[in-house]
Amino acid sequence: MLQDASRSWEEPEDTGESHVGSWMQAWGGEDVSAELVTGEQGRVGEGLVLALRKAMGSGPTISQDPGLGWSQAGAVNSGFVLAVGSAVFDAMFNGGMATTSTEIELPDVEPAAFLALLKFLYSDEVQIGPETVMTTLYTAKKYAVPALEAHCVEFLKKNLRADNAFMLLTQARLFDEPQLASLCLENIDKNTADAITAEGFTDIDLDTLVAVLERDTLGIREVRLFNAVVRWSEAECQRQQLQVTPENKRKVLGKALALIRFPLMTIEEFAAGPAQSGILVDREVVSLFLHFTVNPKPRVDFIDRPRCCLRGKECSVNRFQQVESRWGYSGTSDRIRFSVNKRIFVVGFGLYGSIHGPTDYQVNIQIIHTDSNTVLGQNDTGFSCDGSASTFRVMFKEPVEVLPNVNYTACATLKGPDSHYGTKGLRKVTHESPTTGAKTCFTFCYAAGNNNGTSVEDGQIPEVIFYT
């Protein structure tokens, strides 16, 4: 409740009349000083006209006269209040091109949103809800009322959920709210499966879809992401009044199609879905099947970088202190056991490459739960090396969760020429975060059985790449 020396204000009951006008009338003035004027078609909401009437009656009126202010009779100069609270209204009333009209049209402003702005400017009262928050945010931005804008953004943050994250992301991008957009993207990363099945997903625009598909942090299998993108393309065809055909789906997807990471799928997932969708052309289907089945793998036009549904900085440990030459391969896997003192996610290994110059290797990498012999993650892939003694990254398609104080076996089966190998191995290796000082301690042990000679002291699999 807002009070002056002689009266109090309460919001009037909804009588179906103009809310802004009735709200102003509630001060006690007989004159309706802010009225809603319908558009050409007679629909409220196509535009507002703010009637600026110079009056010195008993109630507050919206006036352009900057000298009125609060009168002894209790009348408020609404033009003065609006000008103080909004740089846009200040320019309207007092700037070099100030209007002399007694009416100012406010186009594209919803009545409820303008009412919320008026209430805020007069009384600091924030009245927003799920149905009005976006139109109020638009109005606050349009008329440069940053405090009300901040309240709207805070309301949206508090009500952000997986089922509305895409809708809010679209609005955040439209209204240039980078902080809200970032929070929406983080929510989508954490709840990708729920977010893409929400009704609002198929309503987003192409640029928003592209912004999401570019992310490395989506927590979902690529085939499910592809299926969601197909649903979006069907909805977009209907919006553009195009027949829903594979050719038109590809057309509306445009640059978004290249952001689907088909190489991250299994060959079975690709064969059952994308290969039969008609969205990919024959050349793309053939090249992807070759990528799945032959080594060295041919280049494809789609990204093969894993989506890691993890935040933070990538870490790695190297268990060898020295590198030597000539480690041979005959089909037997190099294996080493390890355990860690805390929960981590392993995303790949660093492996040694050829001693004979630039070479391509075929490789299968695995992480096995030692006690149960269960394969937790694997990838049949390849890598190219340059002949140096450096390690070369070989990544899993998805992060592999590793629990504290549990034994795991790292396994790499290489096919290629003799390579470098590591010596003077360490049984315990500690990684310390440069920012937090948190320590991740690895313990390496001999893996009994066929291991191609790899041990704690020397061999392959020098590096583990992980996130904490």
Side-chain angles (χ1 to χ4, degrees):
M1 182 177 294
L2 180 67
Q3 296 184 340
D4 65 13
S6 60
R7 61 176 56 81
S8 64
W9 176 85
E10 295 180 353
E11 185 175 5
E13 295 181 0
D14 185 357
T15 61
E17 299 175 352
S18 159
H19 283 290
V20 178
S22 60
W23 181 75
M24 295 300 295
Q25 273 188 311
W27 287 73
E30 295 179 0
D31 190 24
V32 180
S33 53
E35 62 180 277
L36 303 185
V37 179
T38 61
E40 292 181 2
Q41 302 301 319
R43 295 192 300 270
V44 173
E46 290 185 355
L48 293 176
V49 174
L50 184 62
L52 303 174
R53 299 177 180 171
K54 297 181 182 180
M56 288 296 291
S58 60
T61 63
I62 293 183
S63 170
Q64 283 186 264
D65 189 340
L68 292 179
W70 281 93
S71 74
Q72 291 181 346
V76 63
N77 177 344
S78 298
F80 175 76
V81 173
L82 294 177
V84 168
S86 162
V88 175
F89 282 123
D90 185 38
M92 281 184 180
F93 301 153
N94 306 315
M97 300 181 67
T99 180
T100 58
S101 171
T102 57
E103 290 186 345
I104 295 178
E105 183 177 358
L106 307 180
D108 303 324
V109 175
E110 289 293 327
F114 189 67
L115 174 61
L117 181 141
L118 283 177
K119 284 186 177 181
F120 182 75
L121 292 180
Y122 272 93
S123 66
D124 281 340
E125 178 185 350
V126 178
Q127 183 175 345
I128 50 179
E131 301 299 324
T132 60
V133 61
M134 297 313 305
T135 54
T136 303
L137 175 60
Y138 169 77
T139 305
K141 276 186 165 290
K142 184 179 178 75
Y143 293 103
V145 185
L148 180 58
E149 177 186 336
H151 281 295
C152 291
V153 172
E154 189 62 29
F155 179 90
L156 292 170
K157 289 178 185 177
K158 289 180 179 178
N159 289 275
L160 174 61
R161 306 182 307 273
D163 62 355
N164 63 17
F166 274 107
M167 182 274 290
L168 293 183
L169 175 60
T170 301
Q171 299 298 326
R173 288 166 57 84
L174 176 65
F175 292 137
D176 190 26
E177 290 288 346
Q179 186 181 20
L180 177 59
S182 178
L183 289 173
C184 291
L185 288 169
E186 288 180 14
N187 188 288
I188 291 168
D189 285 343
K190 295 175 184 176
N191 307 284
T192 311
D194 292 333
I196 64 171
T197 56
E199 187 176 338
F201 171 73
T202 55
D203 296 330
I204 64 176
D205 60 276
L206 178 60
D207 288 341
T208 301
L209 179 66
V210 167
V212 171
L213 294 179
E214 287 176 336
R215 295 179 69 77
D216 292 333
T217 46
L218 299 177
I220 193 170
R221 288 201 60 79
E222 203 70 18
V223 68
R224 293 188 62 187
L225 192 61
F226 170 78
N227 292 336
V229 169
V230 171
R231 285 187 8 254
W232 181 90
S233 69
E234 292 168 351
E236 184 65 14
C237 284
Q238 293 174 350
R239 281 190 289 270
Q240 296 188 24
Q241 298 182 336
L242 298 173
Q243 187 177 357
V244 181
T245 64
E247 294 76 17
N248 284 336
K249 291 179 190 178
R250 183 183 178 97
K251 176 182 177 182
V252 299
L253 281 171
K255 57 187 177 182
L257 181 61
L259 300 175
I260 300 294
R261 304 183 186 186
F262 296 102
L264 301 186
M265 300 178 187
T266 66
I267 188 171
E268 293 82 8
E269 289 172 338
F270 178 75
Q276 300 184 49
S277 68
I279 294 176
L280 296 173
V281 298
D282 291 345
R283 174 184 57 81
E284 293 166 334
V285 173
V286 170
S287 69
L288 283 163
F289 270 123
L290 289 174
H291 175 84
F292 288 125
T293 55
V294 303
N295 282 300
K297 296 187 178 300
R299 181 184 175 278
V300 293
D301 295 331
F302 299 96
I303 302 167
D304 60 0
R305 184 174 66 252
R307 294 191 195 272
C308 179
C309 54
L310 306 168
R311 284 151 292 282
K313 188 175 181 181
E314 182 182 282
C315 310
S316 65
V317 293
N318 192 315
R319 64 193 188 93
F320 293 122
Q321 301 178 81
Q322 187 172 316
V323 182
E324 298 290 348
S325 297
R326 200 167 298 279
W327 193 263
Y329 304 99
S330 59
T332 303
S333 301
D334 287 273
R335 296 154 61 93
I336 189 72
R337 278 175 51 195
F338 71 95
S339 62
V340 195
N341 69 326
K342 63 195 295 185
R343 179 179 181 240
I344 64 170
F345 292 86
V346 176
V347 295
F349 299 144
L351 303 179
Y352 290 121
S354 174
I355 60 175
H356 301 296
T359 309
D360 292 326
Y361 281 85
Q362 299 175 38
V363 61
N364 171 275
I365 58 171
Q366 297 181 343
I367 289 184
I368 301 169
H369 185 274
T370 304
D371 293 342
S372 66
N373 204 35
T374 303
V375 177
L376 303 177
Q378 70 169 335
N379 192 16
D380 278 301
T381 183
F383 71 94
S384 299
C385 64
D386 58 9
S388 71
S390 303
T391 58
F392 298 91
R393 294 161 61 93
V394 182
M395 309 301 283
F396 291 101
K397 290 188 175 182
E398 292 183 328
V400 180
E401 182 181 21
V402 169
L403 299 177
N405 306 314
V406 175
N407 289 321
Y408 298 89
T409 302
C411 178
T413 309
L414 283 79
K415 184 177 181 181
D418 291 352
S419 73
H420 295 91
Y421 69 97
T423 64
K424 297 185 178 180
L426 300 171
R427 185 170 296 275
K428 292 184 180 291
V429 182
T430 297
H431 177 275
E432 183 173 347
S433 169
T435 54
T436 66
K439 294 182 179 180
T440 306
C441 301
F442 285 75
T443 302
F444 294 95
C445 301
Y446 179 77
N450 295 327
N451 53 33
N452 199 42
T454 285
S455 65
V456 173
E457 290 75 22
D458 51 29
Q460 258 286 11
I461 318 179
E463 194 170 53
V464 179
I465 306 168
F466 66 98
Y467 283 73
T468 56

